[in-house]
Amino acid sequence: MAQQAYMTETDNGGSGPERRGDRFRRLLNRLFSGWRGDPRIWRRGIVTAAVAVLLALVMLLHARIPNRVGNLGSLTETFLPWLGLLIPVLLLIGLVRKSATALIALVVPVAVWLNLFGGLLTDKTGGGGDLTVATHNVNADNPDPSGTARDVAASGADVVALEELKASVVPVYERALAPTYKYHSVQGTVGLWSKYPMTGVKAVDIKLGWTRAMRATIATPEGQVAFYVAHLPSVRVKLEAGFTARQRDTSADALGEAIADEPLKRKVLLGDLNGTMNDRSLNGVTAQMRSTQGAAGSGFGFSWPASFPMARIDQILVQGVEPVSSWTLPATGSDHLPIAARVNLDTGS
């Protein structure tokens, strides 16, 4: 009896991790057993395979999705990278259903997603550079404007752009940034601060009726550079109207025309464009400028919303300037994350 009790106690008292390991192995066996010799693996999962192909077509042909109805094309392009989250869901369904057809079909959306966004997964940041720039939508209702200004200045940026500046709070930002930046200008709700002299400051008309964009020439140690700061109109997603972005699109076209008419060859655009580089409605701007994040960043660089960033609608775009590195800065009191980049102005070297 004693021997039987000992054996029973030992049998039932096995380690917890071992029992969990057994359960995991049983789960794997359940997923992968029964595949060989089962002709139904090709007939099962046809619907899952069709969804996988449809997903690939949406990602591949996103530019063909019309904007006539609720700006559906722009809405899709704004969150295009997130469509990749459907791939592991379809993979799990294919495994549970034991469908070879579904698993083979999944190769198509995987290949399309990697073709579109695989380059963003690698770290392209480099060293060196002549100038560090930063931009931040500070949020008109920011509870700590002084602290936000100090945080952005602590980034080491030589030039800083701020958007969504409330007139009553502008003096707070000016006082907080004055020790670091000798030169600055505020035009409407946007402002530019610089360690180097600024000339040719003026508002840029983006067809709004009030000022949310500006331009200035900054005399850097490497020569003159045209800087643009812009805060394009907000967009909304409404059930009855879809992705309402008409005013944003009109302003983007106007901003693109202003940049195209810029006589200086070296140009930097800083601001909240309320759209991503994939959004075809921003082509007036993005077709002529490079994203520092796409060229020299690591990852997607999502900037909004700060609590759970899902899209990069804050942008640093350049022309005639070589991006060296690009990154997001820690959260402040705003609902956007600040972003920064380092660029090489002497592109002839």
Side-chain angles (χ1 to χ4, degrees):
M1 282 297 287
Q3 183 180 7
Q4 183 179 0
Y6 173 79
M7 291 175 64
T8 302
E9 183 180 353
T10 304
D11 220 23
N12 292 337
S15 65
E18 184 178 354
R19 291 199 299 273
R20 286 194 295 269
D22 290 341
R23 286 197 295 268
F24 182 68
R25 281 193 292 271
R26 284 197 298 270
L27 177 61
L28 290 180
N29 289 335
R30 190 177 304 169
L31 286 175
F32 293 104
S33 65
W35 289 70
R36 183 177 299 176
D38 183 359
R40 293 179 300 170
I41 64 174
W42 300 105
R43 296 196 295 269
R44 286 192 297 260
I46 299 298
V47 173
T48 304
V51 172
V53 173
L54 179 61
L55 174 62
L57 289 175
V58 169
M59 292 190 292
L60 184 63
L61 303 177
H62 63 86
R64 301 291 184 89
I65 300 174
N67 260 343
R68 290 188 298 273
V69 180
N71 278 306
L72 183 59
S74 288
L75 176 60
T76 302
E77 289 164 340
T78 298
F79 299 103
L80 194 61
W82 292 94
L83 292 181
L85 290 180
L86 292 175
I87 293 175
V89 175
L90 294 175
L91 173 62
L92 182 59
I93 294 174
L95 289 173
V96 171
R97 293 278 294 151
K98 293 185 173 64
S99 169
T101 302
L103 296 182
I104 292 174
L106 270 177
V107 173
V108 183
V110 169
V112 172
W113 193 92
L114 289 176
N115 180 63
L116 289 173
F117 304 111
L120 293 174
L121 301 179
T122 60
D123 188 350
K124 299 178 291 297
T125 57
D130 306 313
L131 194 75
T132 301
V133 299
T135 182
H136 190 23
N137 179 325
V138 295
N139 188 355
D141 298 320
N142 192 316
D144 184 19
S146 181
T148 295
R150 288 194 299 270
D151 288 343
V152 175
S155 69
D158 302 298
V159 179
V160 169
L162 300 181
E163 305 86 48
E164 207 167 294
L165 293 169
K166 186 186 291 185
S168 60
V169 189
V170 167
V172 177
Y173 287 102
E174 290 175 328
R175 286 194 298 270
L177 294 173
T180 307
Y181 302 98
K182 184 177 180 181
Y183 309 93
H184 86 279
S185 175
V186 175
Q187 302 288 320
T189 61
V190 298
L192 189 64
W193 278 259
S194 171
K195 295 179 179 179
Y196 307 116
M198 297 169 53
T199 57
V201 178
K202 64 178 183 180
V204 174
D205 182 11
I206 55 173
K207 311 302 181 185
L208 278 175
W210 69 95
T211 301
R212 283 174 52 147
M214 64 176 290
R215 176 248 182 244
T217 298
I218 295 183
T220 75
E222 299 296 330
Q224 292 187 333
V225 181
F227 274 84
Y228 285 79
V229 184
H231 182 194
L232 297 187
S234 299
V235 297
R236 297 287 186 269
V237 180
K238 301 179 180 178
L239 290 177
E240 71 279 7
F243 193 61
T244 57
R246 185 173 303 170
Q247 185 59 66
R248 189 279 311 266
D249 300 347
T250 300
S251 293
D253 290 341
L255 177 62
E257 291 173 6
I259 294 172
D261 292 338
E262 171 60 49
L264 292 179
K265 292 184 178 180
R266 295 186 292 190
K267 311 170 192 178
V268 177
L269 169 62
L270 307 168
D272 175 5
L273 303 189
N274 269 307
T276 68
M277 292 296 291
N278 295 315
D279 191 336
R280 94 247 347 225
S281 296
L282 299 184
N283 280 353
V285 175
T286 57
Q288 56 180 318
M289 307 189 82
R290 300 174 66 193
S291 162
T292 58
Q293 184 67 25
S298 176
F300 291 93
F302 294 148
S303 62
W304 177 89
S307 57
F308 187 82
M310 297 183 64
R312 186 179 177 87
I313 63 175
D314 302 275
Q315 305 289 351
I316 300 176
L317 307 181
V318 299
Q319 183 183 46
V321 169
E322 187 65 29
V324 173
S325 57
S326 185
W327 63 97
T328 56
L329 295 168
T332 68
S334 172
D335 57 340
H336 291 242
L337 293 179
I339 61 174
R342 188 150 180 85
V343 299
N344 184 11
L345 300 177
D346 186 10
T347 56
S349 60

